[in-house]
Amino acid sequence: MNSKKAILLPKYQKIFDGIGENIKLARKRRKLTADQVSERAGIHRATLYRVEKGDPSVAIGIYFNIFRVLNLDKDFEQLAADDPFGRKLQDLDLL
């Protein structure tokens, strides 16, 4: 498999690191093993490990499957839901 490493600025990598850590903590709070989550999400254990380490090259659909397994799909729905900057741009166009 030809895997490309996503290149991010350190401040953006920190965001992925935080998401990965939050996923890992959510899994542990639910007392689920990595094997259980990866099986339920339909992914390999190594992919879950990459997500929990904040790997930005993992497909967003895999992140969603993990959120779904952890019953966090409502959190996933909040991604980009609030767009104050976009609304200001839209309002400027309306003037």
Side-chain angles (χ1 to χ4, degrees):
M1 179 176 189
N2 189 8
S3 165
K4 293 183 181 179
K5 177 78 172 150
I7 308 278
L8 290 179
L9 293 174
K11 70 179 185 177
Y12 299 127
Q13 181 58 55
K14 278 187 167 187
I15 293 170
F16 274 91
D17 293 344
I19 292 169
E21 183 65 20
N22 290 342
I23 288 171
K24 184 176 184 177
L25 290 172
R27 175 177 63 78
K28 288 185 174 191
R29 283 185 205 109
R30 288 157 178 76
K31 296 182 178 13
L32 294 170
T33 67
D35 287 333
Q36 288 172 319
V37 172
S38 58
E39 182 180 325
R40 293 174 188 178
I43 61 174
H44 289 105
R45 169 63 187 96
T47 304
L48 178 61
Y49 177 77
R50 288 173 49 212
V51 167
E52 290 182 350
K53 289 295 181 186
D55 186 342
S57 66
V58 176
I60 195 166
I62 291 175
Y63 276 87
F64 176 76
N65 283 344
I66 294 167
F67 273 67
R68 180 185 49 77
V69 167
L70 298 174
N71 201 27
L72 295 171
D73 42 315
K74 294 294 182 194
D75 289 0
F76 199 86
E77 290 176 11
Q78 294 304 309
L79 294 175
D82 190 26
D83 184 14
F85 180 70
R87 287 195 185 108
K88 285 180 183 178
L89 291 173
Q90 184 180 31
D91 290 346
L92 287 173
D93 272 350
L94 295 175
L95 293 176

